[in-house]
């Protein structure tokens, strides 16, 4: 039984190309897909706003939860985070874009419009991932 | 399969994929002697003043692209909500999109609260968005409106700082307009006097600043009524040609003339009725 495969079903983070050899599916380093020859250089941002924009939602949530903890005690953010985790799991198949309606409603973003709704709308994306590859990535088999 | 292009969908919003490429191109282009394209700006004069019953906003109508006038009659006073209007200076696309996004958000907010939106709400939304993008969205705005607490006027800078004042000017012609305001502003003016003051301030910007020109637009906002005067004053009329430069018939002499008839047969004739209702 592949325990690594089960753990990777909760994949919700992008693997960072680090300096230590990343173990691929067979235990040896995966030089074709990760590491030195990887095209996307995630260590250096190409624009001062890139990092802050990538983590904006996370930072907002962290700030809000901290404020809530200071005002109402530890239980309130814990309960809310449990609801967030449950809502985040309501997704369609990996290669189909999900609307994330429950998550948006919880965050209060269902009645606001920002640049993330107008520019680069994932529902109108011109690139489609190969269904097999995307499902394998989601399950950690890739 | 060695490379995978997309492993998961990334959220929308700004994409920084081309930034490195653009930086490299920028460096190379200067070596070759070309210049990269400039964004269309509204080198502008915009101003606003609070008078007895409300707010008067004014703007010129020129949009520039580097040294060229891109639009001789562009509209710089944007609608935010029925009682709030916003003048925009800086990059034209940025002011347009920012005011449209805030207008949509305010509409949703007012539907959710069931009340007429307040100017302070619009101000807060704008400053939070502009601060989030750390000044990369080049939009300098003059926001004015009348709500349940009376008339309000704010000026909002591209980095996200705001000022609440009785009279404000922004844009490249702001110094010229501010000079007029500092000379003739008094609190609690009448509507005609306020309109004249704003018109003169914008005219000062138009005639003394290269980035501003053409006509003067005015927007008078009072409790329950908005007067959008576009154009309020055509300060720069295009000149009328004094003579006709067309050549008279017979200027060019005709030497030879050949006529070749084209014989066409009617093959098929069909009538399609058009619905012009």
């Amino acid at each position: 039984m592949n325990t690594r495969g089960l753990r990777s079903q909760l994949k919700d983070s992008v693997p960072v190309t680090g300096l230590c050899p990343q173990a691929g599916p067979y235990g040896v380093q995966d030089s074709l897909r990760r590491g030195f020859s990887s095209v996307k250089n995630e260590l250096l941002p190409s624009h001062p706003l890139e990092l802050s924009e990538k983590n904006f939602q996370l930072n907002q949530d962290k700030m809000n939860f901290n404020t809530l903890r200071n005002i109402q005690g530890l239980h309130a953010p814990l309960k809310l985070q449990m609801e967030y985790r449950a809502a985040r799991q309501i997704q369609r198949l990996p290669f189909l874009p999900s609307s994330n309606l429950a998550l948006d409603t919880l965050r209060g973003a269902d009645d606001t419009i920002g640049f993330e709704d107008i520019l680069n709308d994932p529902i109108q994306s011109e690139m489609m991932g190969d269904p097999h590859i995307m499902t394998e990535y989601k399950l950690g088999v890739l | 399969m060695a490379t995978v292009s997309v492993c998961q969908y990334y959220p929308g919003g700004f994409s920084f994929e081309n930034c490195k490429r653009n930086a490299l191109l920028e460096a190379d282009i200067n070596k070759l002697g070309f210049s990269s394209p400039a964004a269309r700006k509204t080198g502008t004069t915009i101003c606003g003043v609070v008078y007895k019953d409300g707010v008067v906003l004014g703007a010129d109508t020129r949009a520039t692209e580097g040294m060229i006038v891109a639009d001789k009659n562009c509209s710089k006073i944007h609608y935010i909500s029925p009682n709030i209007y916003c003048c925009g200076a800086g990059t034209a696309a940025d002011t347009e999109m920012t005011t449209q996004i805030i207008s949509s958000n305010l509409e949703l907010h007012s539907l959710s609260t069931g009340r007429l939106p307040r100017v302070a709400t619009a101000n807060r939304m704008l400053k939070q968005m502009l601060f989030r993008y750390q000044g990369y969205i080049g939009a300098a705005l003059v926001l004015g409106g009348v709500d349940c607490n009376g008339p309000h006027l704010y000026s909002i800078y591209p980095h996200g700082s705001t000022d609440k004042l009785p009279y404000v000017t922004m844009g490249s012609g702001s110094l010229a307009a501010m000079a007029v305001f500092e000379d003739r502003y008094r609190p609690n003016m009448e509507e005609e006097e306020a309109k004249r003051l704003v018109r003169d301030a914008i005219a000062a910007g138009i005639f003394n600043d290269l980035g501003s020109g053409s006509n003067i637009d005015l927007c008078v906002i009072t409790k329950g009524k908005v007067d959008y005067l576009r154009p309020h004053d055509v300060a720069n009329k295009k000149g009328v040609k004094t003579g006709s430069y067309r050549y008279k018939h017979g200027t060019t002499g005709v030497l030879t003339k050949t006529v070749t008839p084209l014989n066409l047969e009617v093959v098929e004739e069909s009538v399609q009725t058009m619905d012009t209702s």
Side-chain angles (χ1 to χ4, degrees), chain B residues 164-189:
Chain B
K164 183 174 189 325
L165 293 164
Y167 56 95
V168 290
T169 64
M170 295 285 260
S172 54
S174 63
L175 293 171
M178 187 50 94
V180 175
F181 273 164
E182 289 287 2
D183 186 29
R184 285 161 44 184
Y185 171 80
R186 339 175 261 107
N188 287 332
M189 283 182 286

PDB file of all heavy atoms in Angstrom, chain B residues 164-189:
ATOM      1  N   LYS B 164      -9.397  64.412   3.081  1.00  0.00           N
ATOM      2  CA  LYS B 164     -10.775  64.909   3.017  1.00  0.00           C
ATOM      3  C   LYS B 164     -10.706  66.417   3.183  1.00  0.00           C
ATOM      4  O   LYS B 164     -10.332  66.909   4.247  1.00  0.00           O
ATOM      5  CB  LYS B 164     -11.598  64.294   4.143  1.00  0.00           C
ATOM      6  CG  LYS B 164     -13.060  64.687   4.112  1.00  0.00           C
ATOM      7  CD  LYS B 164     -13.831  63.920   5.164  1.00  0.00           C
ATOM      8  CE  LYS B 164     -15.317  64.090   5.049  1.00  0.00           C
ATOM      9  NZ  LYS B 164     -15.815  65.368   4.620  1.00  0.00           N
ATOM     10  N   LEU B 165     -11.042  67.145   2.106  1.00  0.00           N
ATOM     11  CA  LEU B 165     -10.834  68.593   2.108  1.00  0.00           C
ATOM     12  C   LEU B 165     -12.007  69.303   1.455  1.00  0.00           C
ATOM     13  O   LEU B 165     -12.760  68.685   0.713  1.00  0.00           O
ATOM     14  CB  LEU B 165      -9.555  68.934   1.326  1.00  0.00           C
ATOM     15  CG  LEU B 165      -8.254  68.446   1.960  1.00  0.00           C
ATOM     16  CD1 LEU B 165      -7.142  68.480   0.936  1.00  0.00           C
ATOM     17  CD2 LEU B 165      -7.904  69.311   3.155  1.00  0.00           C
ATOM     18  N   PRO B 166     -12.155  70.611   1.698  1.00  0.00           N
ATOM     19  CA  PRO B 166     -13.240  71.331   1.013  1.00  0.00           C
ATOM     20  C   PRO B 166     -12.957  71.639  -0.453  1.00  0.00           C
ATOM     21  O   PRO B 166     -13.879  71.859  -1.219  1.00  0.00           O
ATOM     22  CB  PRO B 166     -13.365  72.626   1.817  1.00  0.00           C
ATOM     23  CG  PRO B 166     -12.135  72.756   2.597  1.00  0.00           C
ATOM     24  CD  PRO B 166     -11.534  71.404   2.762  1.00  0.00           C
ATOM     25  N   TYR B 167     -11.684  71.694  -0.855  1.00  0.00           N
ATOM     26  CA  TYR B 167     -11.380  71.881  -2.275  1.00  0.00           C
ATOM     27  C   TYR B 167     -10.084  71.135  -2.593  1.00  0.00           C
ATOM     28  O   TYR B 167      -9.125  71.201  -1.844  1.00  0.00           O
ATOM     29  CB  TYR B 167     -11.291  73.355  -2.671  1.00  0.00           C
ATOM     30  CG  TYR B 167     -10.294  74.177  -1.892  1.00  0.00           C
ATOM     31  CD1 TYR B 167      -9.005  74.387  -2.380  1.00  0.00           C
ATOM     32  CD2 TYR B 167     -10.644  74.770  -0.689  1.00  0.00           C
ATOM     33  CE1 TYR B 167      -8.100  75.151  -1.678  1.00  0.00           C
ATOM     34  CE2 TYR B 167      -9.743  75.532   0.018  1.00  0.00           C
ATOM     35  CZ  TYR B 167      -8.474  75.713  -0.471  1.00  0.00           C
ATOM     36  OH  TYR B 167      -7.579  76.465   0.235  1.00  0.00           O
ATOM     37  N   VAL B 168     -10.081  70.375  -3.700  1.00  0.00           N
ATOM     38  CA  VAL B 168      -8.908  69.575  -4.076  1.00  0.00           C
ATOM     39  C   VAL B 168      -8.655  69.686  -5.562  1.00  0.00           C
ATOM     40  O   VAL B 168      -9.583  69.882  -6.350  1.00  0.00           O
ATOM     41  CB  VAL B 168      -9.092  68.079  -3.735  1.00  0.00           C
ATOM     42  CG1 VAL B 168      -9.073  67.862  -2.263  1.00  0.00           C
ATOM     43  CG2 VAL B 168     -10.328  67.533  -4.347  1.00  0.00           C
ATOM     44  N   THR B 169      -7.392  69.528  -5.945  1.00  0.00           N
ATOM     45  CA  THR B 169      -7.035  69.433  -7.371  1.00  0.00           C
ATOM     46  C   THR B 169      -6.032  68.307  -7.527  1.00  0.00           C
ATOM     47  O   THR B 169      -5.269  68.009  -6.626  1.00  0.00           O
ATOM     48  CB  THR B 169      -6.372  70.733  -7.884  1.00  0.00           C
ATOM     49  OG1 THR B 169      -5.137  70.927  -7.196  1.00  0.00           O
ATOM     50  CG2 THR B 169      -7.262  71.917  -7.682  1.00  0.00           C
ATOM     51  N   MET B 170      -6.063  67.651  -8.717  1.00  0.00           N
ATOM     52  CA  MET B 170      -5.108  66.558  -8.989  1.00  0.00           C
ATOM     53  C   MET B 170      -4.705  66.628 -10.446  1.00  0.00           C
ATOM     54  O   MET B 170      -5.368  67.263 -11.263  1.00  0.00           O
ATOM     55  CB  MET B 170      -5.768  65.193  -8.758  1.00  0.00           C
ATOM     56  CG  MET B 170      -6.161  64.923  -7.353  1.00  0.00           C
ATOM     57  SD  MET B 170      -4.754  64.534  -6.362  1.00  0.00           S
ATOM     58  CE  MET B 170      -4.879  62.792  -6.323  1.00  0.00           C
ATOM     59  N   GLY B 171      -3.618  65.934 -10.759  1.00  0.00           N
ATOM     60  CA  GLY B 171      -3.206  65.863 -12.157  1.00  0.00           C
ATOM     61  C   GLY B 171      -2.027  66.786 -12.418  1.00  0.00           C
ATOM     62  O   GLY B 171      -1.524  67.480 -11.532  1.00  0.00           O
ATOM     63  N   SER B 172      -1.581  66.814 -13.695  1.00  0.00           N
ATOM     64  CA  SER B 172      -0.413  67.625 -14.017  1.00  0.00           C
ATOM     65  C   SER B 172      -0.737  69.115 -13.949  1.00  0.00           C
ATOM     66  O   SER B 172       0.139  69.933 -13.718  1.00  0.00           O
ATOM     67  CB  SER B 172       0.104  67.260 -15.404  1.00  0.00           C
ATOM     68  OG  SER B 172      -0.940  67.376 -16.335  1.00  0.00           O
ATOM     69  N   GLY B 173      -1.990  69.488 -14.160  1.00  0.00           N
ATOM     70  CA  GLY B 173      -2.359  70.901 -14.080  1.00  0.00           C
ATOM     71  C   GLY B 173      -2.885  71.299 -12.719  1.00  0.00           C
ATOM     72  O   GLY B 173      -3.535  72.335 -12.575  1.00  0.00           O
ATOM     73  N   SER B 174      -2.585  70.468 -11.697  1.00  0.00           N
ATOM     74  CA  SER B 174      -3.190  70.725 -10.391  1.00  0.00           C
ATOM     75  C   SER B 174      -2.666  72.013  -9.771  1.00  0.00           C
ATOM     76  O   SER B 174      -3.390  72.690  -9.046  1.00  0.00           O
ATOM     77  CB  SER B 174      -2.942  69.556  -9.456  1.00  0.00           C
ATOM     78  OG  SER B 174      -1.560  69.403  -9.232  1.00  0.00           O
ATOM     79  N   LEU B 175      -1.404  72.364 -10.056  1.00  0.00           N
ATOM     80  CA  LEU B 175      -0.862  73.578  -9.430  1.00  0.00           C
ATOM     81  C   LEU B 175      -1.555  74.816  -9.954  1.00  0.00           C
ATOM     82  O   LEU B 175      -1.884  75.725  -9.192  1.00  0.00           O
ATOM     83  CB  LEU B 175       0.649  73.651  -9.672  1.00  0.00           C
ATOM     84  CG  LEU B 175       1.435  72.558  -8.953  1.00  0.00           C
ATOM     85  CD1 LEU B 175       2.875  72.558  -9.417  1.00  0.00           C
ATOM     86  CD2 LEU B 175       1.367  72.737  -7.458  1.00  0.00           C
ATOM     87  N   ALA B 176      -1.795  74.831 -11.290  1.00  0.00           N
ATOM     88  CA  ALA B 176      -2.486  75.987 -11.860  1.00  0.00           C
ATOM     89  C   ALA B 176      -3.893  76.106 -11.295  1.00  0.00           C
ATOM     90  O   ALA B 176      -4.344  77.193 -10.922  1.00  0.00           O
ATOM     91  CB  ALA B 176      -2.543  75.847 -13.388  1.00  0.00           C
ATOM     92  N   ALA B 177      -4.591  74.957 -11.202  1.00  0.00           N
ATOM     93  CA  ALA B 177      -5.956  74.998 -10.687  1.00  0.00           C
ATOM     94  C   ALA B 177      -5.969  75.371  -9.208  1.00  0.00           C
ATOM     95  O   ALA B 177      -6.840  76.125  -8.753  1.00  0.00           O
ATOM     96  CB  ALA B 177      -6.635  73.642 -10.906  1.00  0.00           C
ATOM     97  N   MET B 178      -5.006  74.868  -8.453  1.00  0.00           N
ATOM     98  CA  MET B 178      -4.971  75.173  -7.027  1.00  0.00           C
ATOM     99  C   MET B 178      -4.713  76.656  -6.788  1.00  0.00           C
ATOM    100  O   MET B 178      -5.229  77.233  -5.826  1.00  0.00           O
ATOM    101  CB  MET B 178      -3.891  74.329  -6.339  1.00  0.00           C
ATOM    102  CG  MET B 178      -3.876  74.435  -4.835  1.00  0.00           C
ATOM    103  SD  MET B 178      -5.476  74.189  -4.086  1.00  0.00           S
ATOM    104  CE  MET B 178      -5.422  72.474  -3.710  1.00  0.00           C
ATOM    105  N   ALA B 179      -3.936  77.274  -7.673  1.00  0.00           N
ATOM    106  CA  ALA B 179      -3.693  78.706  -7.521  1.00  0.00           C
ATOM    107  C   ALA B 179      -5.011  79.485  -7.592  1.00  0.00           C
ATOM    108  O   ALA B 179      -5.261  80.384  -6.786  1.00  0.00           O
ATOM    109  CB  ALA B 179      -2.738  79.195  -8.611  1.00  0.00           C
ATOM    110  N   VAL B 180      -5.873  79.101  -8.540  1.00  0.00           N
ATOM    111  CA  VAL B 180      -7.181  79.767  -8.669  1.00  0.00           C
ATOM    112  C   VAL B 180      -8.031  79.514  -7.429  1.00  0.00           C
ATOM    113  O   VAL B 180      -8.681  80.431  -6.898  1.00  0.00           O
ATOM    114  CB  VAL B 180      -7.903  79.262  -9.930  1.00  0.00           C
ATOM    115  CG1 VAL B 180      -9.298  79.837 -10.007  1.00  0.00           C
ATOM    116  CG2 VAL B 180      -7.113  79.647 -11.162  1.00  0.00           C
ATOM    117  N   PHE B 181      -8.021  78.267  -6.943  1.00  0.00           N
ATOM    118  CA  PHE B 181      -8.807  77.947  -5.762  1.00  0.00           C
ATOM    119  C   PHE B 181      -8.339  78.728  -4.561  1.00  0.00           C
ATOM    120  O   PHE B 181      -9.138  79.290  -3.806  1.00  0.00           O
ATOM    121  CB  PHE B 181      -8.693  76.448  -5.447  1.00  0.00           C
ATOM    122  CG  PHE B 181      -9.702  75.594  -6.163  1.00  0.00           C
ATOM    123  CD1 PHE B 181      -9.522  74.222  -6.244  1.00  0.00           C
ATOM    124  CD2 PHE B 181     -10.810  76.147  -6.752  1.00  0.00           C
ATOM    125  CE1 PHE B 181     -10.443  73.440  -6.894  1.00  0.00           C
ATOM    126  CE2 PHE B 181     -11.732  75.366  -7.410  1.00  0.00           C
ATOM    127  CZ  PHE B 181     -11.537  74.003  -7.478  1.00  0.00           C
ATOM    128  N   GLU B 182      -7.030  78.753  -4.339  1.00  0.00           N
ATOM    129  CA  GLU B 182      -6.508  79.442  -3.157  1.00  0.00           C
ATOM    130  C   GLU B 182      -6.860  80.914  -3.176  1.00  0.00           C
ATOM    131  O   GLU B 182      -7.025  81.536  -2.131  1.00  0.00           O
ATOM    132  CB  GLU B 182      -4.982  79.274  -3.081  1.00  0.00           C
ATOM    133  CG  GLU B 182      -4.516  77.890  -2.730  1.00  0.00           C
ATOM    134  CD  GLU B 182      -4.740  77.526  -1.276  1.00  0.00           C
ATOM    135  OE1 GLU B 182      -5.309  78.344  -0.528  1.00  0.00           O
ATOM    136  OE2 GLU B 182      -4.386  76.421  -0.888  1.00  0.00           O
ATOM    137  N   ASP B 183      -6.985  81.463  -4.385  1.00  0.00           N
ATOM    138  CA  ASP B 183      -7.296  82.889  -4.469  1.00  0.00           C
ATOM    139  C   ASP B 183      -8.765  83.166  -4.169  1.00  0.00           C
ATOM    140  O   ASP B 183      -9.093  84.088  -3.429  1.00  0.00           O
ATOM    141  CB  ASP B 183      -6.943  83.378  -5.885  1.00  0.00           C
ATOM    142  CG  ASP B 183      -7.089  84.865  -6.023  1.00  0.00           C
ATOM    143  OD1 ASP B 183      -6.916  85.578  -5.010  1.00  0.00           O
ATOM    144  OD2 ASP B 183      -7.382  85.324  -7.131  1.00  0.00           O
ATOM    145  N   ARG B 184      -9.676  82.339  -4.729  1.00  0.00           N
ATOM    146  CA  ARG B 184     -11.081  82.736  -4.728  1.00  0.00           C
ATOM    147  C   ARG B 184     -12.013  81.821  -3.950  1.00  0.00           C
ATOM    148  O   ARG B 184     -13.207  82.025  -3.981  1.00  0.00           O
ATOM    149  CB  ARG B 184     -11.577  82.803  -6.188  1.00  0.00           C
ATOM    150  CG  ARG B 184     -11.070  84.032  -6.893  1.00  0.00           C
ATOM    151  CD  ARG B 184     -11.130  83.914  -8.399  1.00  0.00           C
ATOM    152  NE  ARG B 184     -12.377  83.354  -8.867  1.00  0.00           N
ATOM    153  CZ  ARG B 184     -12.629  83.083 -10.130  1.00  0.00           C
ATOM    154  NH1 ARG B 184     -11.687  83.314 -11.033  1.00  0.00           N
ATOM    155  NH2 ARG B 184     -13.765  82.578 -10.520  1.00  0.00           N
ATOM    156  N   TYR B 185     -11.490  80.811  -3.245  1.00  0.00           N
ATOM    157  CA  TYR B 185     -12.429  79.921  -2.544  1.00  0.00           C
ATOM    158  C   TYR B 185     -12.951  80.593  -1.287  1.00  0.00           C
ATOM    159  O   TYR B 185     -12.191  81.232  -0.549  1.00  0.00           O
ATOM    160  CB  TYR B 185     -11.739  78.606  -2.178  1.00  0.00           C
ATOM    161  CG  TYR B 185     -12.577  77.738  -1.279  1.00  0.00           C
ATOM    162  CD1 TYR B 185     -13.604  76.963  -1.808  1.00  0.00           C
ATOM    163  CD2 TYR B 185     -12.392  77.737   0.098  1.00  0.00           C
ATOM    164  CE1 TYR B 185     -14.403  76.204  -0.986  1.00  0.00           C
ATOM    165  CE2 TYR B 185     -13.194  76.975   0.918  1.00  0.00           C
ATOM    166  CZ  TYR B 185     -14.190  76.207   0.376  1.00  0.00           C
ATOM    167  OH  TYR B 185     -14.983  75.456   1.199  1.00  0.00           O
ATOM    168  N   ARG B 186     -14.301  80.479  -1.026  1.00  0.00           N
ATOM    169  CA  ARG B 186     -14.791  80.807   0.301  1.00  0.00           C
ATOM    170  C   ARG B 186     -15.765  79.703   0.702  1.00  0.00           C
ATOM    171  O   ARG B 186     -16.384  79.111  -0.151  1.00  0.00           O
ATOM    172  CB  ARG B 186     -15.561  82.129   0.374  1.00  0.00           C
ATOM    173  CG  ARG B 186     -15.341  83.134  -0.678  1.00  0.00           C
ATOM    174  CD  ARG B 186     -16.282  84.331  -0.516  1.00  0.00           C
ATOM    175  NE  ARG B 186     -17.443  84.238  -1.398  1.00  0.00           N
ATOM    176  CZ  ARG B 186     -18.659  83.954  -0.974  1.00  0.00           C
ATOM    177  NH1 ARG B 186     -18.885  83.722   0.299  1.00  0.00           N
ATOM    178  NH2 ARG B 186     -19.657  83.896  -1.823  1.00  0.00           N
ATOM    179  N   PRO B 187     -15.935  79.441   1.971  1.00  0.00           N
ATOM    180  CA  PRO B 187     -16.880  78.399   2.376  1.00  0.00           C
ATOM    181  C   PRO B 187     -18.317  78.830   2.090  1.00  0.00           C
ATOM    182  O   PRO B 187     -18.630  80.021   2.060  1.00  0.00           O
ATOM    183  CB  PRO B 187     -16.641  78.255   3.892  1.00  0.00           C
ATOM    184  CG  PRO B 187     -15.761  79.355   4.286  1.00  0.00           C
ATOM    185  CD  PRO B 187     -15.172  79.984   3.089  1.00  0.00           C
ATOM    186  N   ASN B 188     -19.201  77.824   1.844  1.00  0.00           N
ATOM    187  CA  ASN B 188     -20.635  78.070   1.617  1.00  0.00           C
ATOM    188  C   ASN B 188     -20.910  79.007   0.461  1.00  0.00           C
ATOM    189  O   ASN B 188     -21.604  80.017   0.589  1.00  0.00           O
ATOM    190  CB  ASN B 188     -21.289  78.660   2.889  1.00  0.00           C
ATOM    191  CG  ASN B 188     -21.417  77.603   3.943  1.00  0.00           C
ATOM    192  OD1 ASN B 188     -21.529  76.426   3.632  1.00  0.00           O
ATOM    193  ND2 ASN B 188     -21.350  78.013   5.194  1.00  0.00           N
ATOM    194  N   MET B 189     -20.352  78.675  -0.704  1.00  0.00           N
ATOM    195  CA  MET B 189     -20.631  79.488  -1.897  1.00  0.00           C
ATOM    196  C   MET B 189     -21.993  79.124  -2.470  1.00  0.00           C
ATOM    197  O   MET B 189     -22.565  78.086  -2.131  1.00  0.00           O
ATOM    198  CB  MET B 189     -19.577  79.195  -2.967  1.00  0.00           C
ATOM    199  CG  MET B 189     -18.249  79.845  -2.722  1.00  0.00           C
ATOM    200  SD  MET B 189     -17.133  79.493  -4.060  1.00  0.00           S
ATOM    201  CE  MET B 189     -16.741  77.804  -3.741  1.00  0.00           C
TER     202      MET B 189
END
